[in-house]
């Protein structure tokens, strides 16, 4: 029987034709990608050396998490100089070489902009501390007198995302307590005051600095938080953002303030001066989706990370519902929908989907004392979820290592943990180190080829699980049925069949409580999230998430297939 299509909400008005509408963007977390100088920490030269592998994988763009000067209290999201490369990662010349190599390979480079806060080591914050309350230097940040007797209490009740109060009290040179400053994240990450035009000027300078060096765009960190509500009122809701809850930004005085959107319109104008191809991507973790879509309204950003999609469980009903909501919300403002399953802040999807039911709270991490994942089930479901995602029209974000099916390190020793969340919550939340472990490149050799450069092999900044040798890229490159081979093949088919620019139509016959199927042009994408195998419909097999099943006409539990319809 021919499938009875149910049209999904129309992505009418999607900015078609622009490369970003269907792009596959690969996130590199520089600390953990590839270490060429052998100090145990990834570096820009290591990224340049391996860019060919990413071109071969078939991605369109690479997003680099921060590599700027930083004391590294939050993995580089604490920037002390926005226009310098941290010596840990190399030099500006190394960056230029990276861009040059990317250009040769036709890969675009997107860098991370961190405008909500800087490092407390930044010269502007050091100046603010040195100057008196009420001075122009202090007005670059959010300093306030405390409440209560002697100003001993924080100015309001806001909490840091990483745990504890969002305010830290200063002391003058003699040690006498002074004003408090706001930090939505760690106390070493003071928030800028975006009510001050000089802050705007500073970031416009930074945008131009990197655009002049040839970058193709920016991923904007906490793009929903720069502007705070006047008067910084107390707020009764949870102000920290475990991403499984979404950042509950509906009414929060630190999220989603209207003046934000003027900033992004202005930045979009600056990008346009460098040509129509430059893009902005929002990390705007607000819900629901139609509120998030304001960040990609005409004249603002090109992409917003789809956190509701990332937070969806491995469930046919949940996936269908979040895809519908995404296409409707982003389509309504003429934007492309993005899709994402993993990043450097969440438990990798190969581990999330290794648990039945809700799984671990994202951002909290998993430790040796927790229930351990069913690794094999997680890998299979991860491949199925990825193949489902890559079949969707729109833009997709991949996180380094997911093409290898890497899980989180779920037994990291506490002594290795570096995420500030761990200390700030007094170990209640383990933090995000488990998803940031250095990549395995080669089965043989120290650190699985991550850190085997000149002059010596280094000790990786986080230990790798022993089992990662068999997941190394060289092992998978030699295996036509590997996770890596599946990604490579799927990305090729996605490009050849125009899936990124296609249109989704649900196929009722294949949509149930446990299965979900849609047509994207002449490709049928079918996921079996249920407990039992199902019979495949007719059609030539283009790709399956368990390639070892070869020509089987059964779709296993936890498997996705692409068929020629
Ligand atoms: C979001 C980044 O993805 C995360 O890693 C960082 O800790 C916070 N923003 C603060 O910059």
């Amino acid at each position: 029987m021919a499938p009875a299509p149910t049209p999904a909400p129309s992505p009418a008005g999607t900015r078609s034709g622009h490369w970003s509408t269907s792009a596959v963007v690969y996130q590199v977390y520089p600390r953990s990608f590839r270490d060429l100088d052998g100090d145990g920490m990834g570096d820009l030269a290591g990224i340049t050396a391996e860019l060919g592998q990413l071109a071969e994988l078939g991605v369109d763009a690479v997003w680099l998490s921060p590599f700027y000067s930083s004391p590294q209290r939050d993995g580089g999201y604490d920037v002390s100089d926005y226009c310098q490369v941290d010596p840990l990662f190399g030099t500006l010349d190394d960056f230029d070489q990276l861009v040059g190599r990317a250009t040769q390979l036709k890969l675009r480079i997107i860098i991370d902009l961190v405008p909500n806060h800087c490092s407390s080591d930044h010269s502007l914050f050091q100046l603010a501390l040195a100057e008196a309350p009420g001075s122009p230097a202090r007005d670059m940040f959010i300093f306030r007198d405390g409440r209560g007797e002697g100003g001993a209490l924080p100015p309001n009740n806001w909490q840091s995302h990483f745990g504890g109060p969002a305010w830290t009290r200063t002391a003058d040179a003699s040690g006498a307590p002074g004003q408090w400053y706001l930090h939505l994240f760690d106390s070493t990450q003071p928030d800028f005051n975006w009510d001050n035009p000089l802050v705007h000027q500073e970031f416009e300078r930074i945008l131009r600095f990197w655009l002049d060096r040839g970058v193709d765009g920016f991923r904007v960190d906490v793009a929903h938080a720069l502007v705070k509500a006047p008067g910084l009122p107390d707020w009764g809701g949870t102000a920290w953002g475990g991403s499984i809850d979404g950042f509950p930004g509906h009414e929060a005085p630190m999220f989603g303030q209207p003046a934000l959107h003027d900033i992004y319109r202005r930045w979009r104008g600056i990008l346009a001066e460098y040509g129509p191809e430059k893009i902005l991507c929002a990390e705007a973790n607000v819900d629901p989706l139609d509120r998030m879509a304001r960040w990609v309204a005409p004249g603002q950003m090109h992409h917003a990370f789809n956190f509701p999609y990332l937070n969806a469980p491995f469930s046919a009903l949940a996936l269908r519902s979040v895809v519908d909501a995404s296409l409707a919300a982003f389509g309504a403002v003429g934007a492309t929908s993005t899709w994402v399953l993993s990043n450097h802040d969440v438990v990798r999807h190969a581990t999330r989907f290794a648990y039945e039911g809700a799984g671990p709270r994202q951002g909290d991490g998993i430790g040796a004392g927790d229930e351990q994942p069913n690794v094999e089930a997680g890998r299979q479901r991860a491949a199925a979820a990825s193949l489902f995602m890559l079949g969707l029209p729109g833009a997709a974000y991949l996180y380094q290592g997911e093409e290898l099916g890497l899980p989180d390190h779920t037994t990291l020793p506490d002594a290795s943990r570096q995420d500030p969340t761990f200390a700030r919550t007094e170990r209640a939340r383990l933090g995000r180190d488990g998803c940031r472990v250095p990549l395995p490149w080669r089965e043989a050799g120290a650190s699985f080829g991550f850190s085997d450069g000149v002059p010596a092999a280094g000790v990786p900044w986080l230990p790798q699980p022993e089992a990662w040798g068999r997941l190394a890229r060289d092992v998978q490159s030699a295996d036509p049925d590997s996770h890596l081979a599946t990604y490579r093949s799927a990305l090729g088919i996605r490009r050849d069949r125009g899936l990124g620019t296609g249109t989704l139509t649900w196929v009722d016959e294949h949509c149930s409580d446990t299965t979900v199927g849609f047509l994207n042009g002449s490709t049928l994408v079918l996921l079996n999230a249920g407990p039992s195998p199902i019979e495949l419909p007719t059609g030539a097999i283009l790709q399956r998430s368990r390639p070892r099943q070869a020509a089987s006409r059964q779709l296993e539990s936890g498997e996705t297939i692409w068929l020629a319809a």
Side-chain angles (χ1 to χ4, degrees):
M1 195 175 79
T6 307
S10 159
T14 300
R15 294 171 200 128
S16 56
H18 194 273
W19 71 272
S20 65
T21 54
S22 57
V24 177
V25 184
Y26 182 100
Q27 180 190 357
V28 165
Y29 191 66
R31 297 171 68 92
S32 301
F33 188 71
R34 178 80 167 83
D35 168 27
L36 220 60
D37 65 8
D39 64 355
M41 180 68 69
D43 44 46
L44 295 184
I47 300 168
T48 306
E50 306 295 2
L51 275 182
Q53 303 264 0
L54 302 186
E56 214 176 282
L57 180 62
V59 302
D60 302 297
V62 174
W63 148 36
L64 302 174
S65 279
F67 50 82
Y68 319 107
S69 300
S70 162
Q72 303 288 322
R73 302 254 189 259
D74 181 23
Y77 282 91
D78 50 322
V79 182
S80 54
D81 185 341
Y82 288 83
C83 298
Q84 267 303 336
V85 173
D86 195 283
L88 269 181
F89 301 120
T91 62
L92 279 172
D93 279 350
D94 291 333
F95 181 79
D96 293 342
Q97 283 179 30
L98 189 158
V99 171
R101 178 72 181 131
T103 308
Q104 282 170 356
L105 293 166
K106 299 196 170 42
L107 287 172
R108 299 178 196 259
I109 296 293
I110 295 167
I111 62 171
D112 222 306
L113 187 72
V114 189
N116 180 67
H117 48 266
C118 59
S119 159
S120 50
D121 285 6
H122 195 290
S123 57
L124 285 172
F125 189 71
Q126 286 300 315
L127 190 64
L129 286 179
E131 298 281 326
S135 61
R138 286 224 166 168
D139 196 41
M140 295 294 280
F141 297 90
I142 303 178
F143 282 88
R144 294 288 184 277
D145 294 332
R147 295 200 274 203
E149 200 176 323
L153 298 173
N156 70 21
N157 69 352
W158 296 2
Q159 297 293 298
S160 152
H161 294 317
F162 294 157
W167 295 91
T168 291
R169 195 165 195 189
T170 58
D172 67 18
S174 71
Q179 285 191 304
W180 299 70
Y181 64 90
L182 178 71
H183 51 87
L184 290 184
F185 293 89
D186 189 49
S187 55
T188 61
Q189 293 168 294
D191 280 42
F192 280 109
N193 172 19
W194 278 88
D195 293 337
N196 183 341
L198 294 176
V199 171
H200 293 236
Q201 276 178 29
E202 174 62 1
F203 274 90
E204 290 171 15
R205 180 184 76 82
I206 295 164
L207 285 175
R208 289 182 194 282
F209 177 87
W210 291 105
L211 286 164
D212 286 339
R213 287 199 110 85
V215 303
D216 296 293
F218 301 88
R219 173 266 189 193
V220 181
D221 192 60
V222 263
H224 53 308
L226 278 51
V227 177
K228 280 77 180 177
L232 310 179
D234 273 353
W235 189 54
T238 314
W240 66 268
S243 56
I244 201 157
D245 307 322
F247 283 71
H250 307 75
E251 334 83 23
M254 70 292 279
F255 299 140
Q257 300 301 306
L260 279 169
H261 300 285
D262 295 333
I263 299 174
Y264 302 134
R265 277 187 279 268
R266 167 87 188 128
W267 290 3
R268 179 69 180 262
I270 292 174
L271 263 66
E273 292 172 28
Y274 289 80
E277 306 266 281
K278 310 289 179 187
I279 72 160
L280 288 171
C281 169
E283 189 217 19
N285 205 339
V286 287
D287 50 23
L289 271 160
D290 50 8
R291 189 159 194 272
M292 185 191 283
R294 292 183 199 167
W295 274 254
V296 286
Q300 296 188 50
M301 302 209 175
H302 299 76
H303 288 169
F305 291 137
N306 191 338
F307 289 107
Y309 188 81
L310 186 151
N311 290 328
F314 188 78
S315 136
L317 291 177
L319 280 172
R320 187 172 172 176
S321 150
V322 72
V323 168
D324 266 342
S326 306
L327 293 176
F330 292 120
V333 294
T336 197
S337 189
T338 66
W339 315 106
V340 60
L341 288 164
S342 283
N343 65 36
H344 65 294
D345 290 329
V346 304
V347 172
R348 286 176 175 277
H349 63 288
T351 300
R352 292 201 312 273
F353 296 150
Y355 293 86
E356 300 304 327
R361 273 177 65 93
Q362 290 176 17
D364 283 5
I366 298 165
D370 295 320
E371 180 193 343
Q372 290 297 301
N374 177 341
V375 175
E376 212 33 56
R379 268 175 75 72
Q380 281 174 357
R381 286 185 187 159
S386 298
L387 196 60
F388 182 85
M389 173 177 87
L390 292 173
L392 291 166
Y397 279 79
L398 310 181
Y399 176 48
Q400 66 177 37
E402 72 171 75
E403 75 279 23
L404 304 176
L406 291 187
D408 259 38
H409 193 327
T410 55
T411 55
L412 257 185
D414 283 354
S416 305
R417 296 194 185 279
Q418 303 203 15
D419 183 348
T421 311
F422 185 54
R424 286 188 65 89
T425 60
E426 291 169 357
R427 306 174 159 227
R429 293 168 62 206
L430 298 177
R432 302 159 293 177
D433 295 306
C435 67
R436 298 175 174 180
V437 172
L439 295 186
W441 290 88
R442 288 201 314 274
E443 184 176 24
S447 70
F448 304 125
F450 163 69
S451 175
D452 63 352
V454 177
V459 177
W461 70 280
L462 283 175
Q464 300 157 300
E466 274 176 29
W468 277 22
R470 68 181 175 82
L471 301 180
R473 189 170 294 260
D474 66 342
V475 175
Q476 298 203 33
S477 290
D479 174 359
D481 292 334
S482 66
H483 213 98
L484 176 62
T486 304
Y487 262 73
R488 204 182 275 148
S489 163
L491 287 169
I493 297 170
R494 177 185 151 92
R495 193 175 42 248
D496 294 346
R497 295 178 80 89
L499 300 183
T501 51
T503 306
L504 177 147
T505 308
W506 297 117
V507 182
D508 288 347
E509 184 188 334
H510 299 312
C511 289
S512 68
D513 289 358
T514 53
T515 61
V516 53
F518 63 84
L519 274 171
N520 183 347
S522 60
T523 306
L524 176 69
V525 176
L526 182 56
L527 161 69
N528 177 10
S532 322
I534 58 171
E535 286 301 309
L536 282 186
T538 54
I541 297 173
L542 301 169
Q543 183 66 53
R544 62 194 312 161
S545 61
R546 293 198 202 181
R548 285 185 224 285
Q549 300 290 111
S552 159
R553 296 305 297 185
Q554 282 207 326
L555 189 63
E556 297 299 320
S557 161
E559 186 179 13
T560 294
I561 199 153
W562 291 358
L563 295 172

